[in-house]
Amino acid sequence: PMQNYTKCVESPMEMKMEAIGIVYSPYKERFGTPRQANVTTGVLEGKAMIGKLKFYKNKGYEHALEDLEGFEIIWVISYMHLNKGWNPKVKPPRGPRKKRGLFSTRSPHRPNP
């Protein structure tokens, strides 16, 4: 029989995150940073550059990092701590020069960093 496990669980209004590491990017300013990983025209040094992830030690997830060696790309959930403020409508740098709803864009300025 079909079951609905989410029906009896209330969705949280707040969440707490704990940092497990830090990203070191060669891109220090938003200008000169690729908008997409494979688009490097006009970026710093004219090519994609390698960043680095440093995981904090003794957090108990060391075994969870095993077997990543074979992957070319991994997804990283980041905290945009340098972005201050946000707007519900933004003008993307490409396409028609009109304001769009924030969540339909790749803008890093979000209600939650």
Side-chain angles (χ1 to χ4, degrees):
M2 191 169 156
Q3 296 185 16
N4 187 349
Y5 295 104
T6 60
K7 189 175 183 177
C8 59
V9 178
E10 192 172 321
S11 295
M13 294 301 290
E14 291 183 6
M15 293 177 270
K16 180 182 174 187
M17 289 191 321
E18 182 178 340
I20 63 169
I22 187 167
V23 175
Y24 292 97
S25 173
Y27 305 104
K28 304 300 180 195
E29 301 293 332
R30 67 180 177 161
F31 298 106
T33 300
R35 285 180 289 282
Q36 296 180 40
N38 61 348
V39 179
T40 57
T41 305
V43 301
L44 184 66
E45 295 192 21
K47 63 181 180 180
M49 297 174 64
I50 303 295
K52 186 165 88 172
L53 290 171
K54 182 178 179 181
F55 294 94
Y56 301 137
K57 293 183 179 182
N58 303 318
K59 290 285 196 173
Y61 54 78
E62 289 79 8
H63 291 296
L65 298 171
E66 291 177 6
D67 305 314
L68 284 176
E69 294 86 9
F71 289 88
E72 184 176 320
I73 297 172
I74 62 168
W75 288 92
V76 176
I77 299 172
S78 60
Y79 176 75
M80 303 290 201
H81 67 288
L82 298 178
N83 288 339
K84 305 295 180 207
W86 66 280
N87 290 309
K89 304 271 289 195
V90 297
K91 252 190 232 182
R94 301 266 189 234
R97 300 299 297 161
K98 70 177 201 171
K99 288 193 172 192
R100 301 203 175 268
L102 173 71
F103 296 131
S104 70
T105 72
R106 291 186 293 231
S107 172
H109 297 276
R110 301 287 172 144
N112 287 308

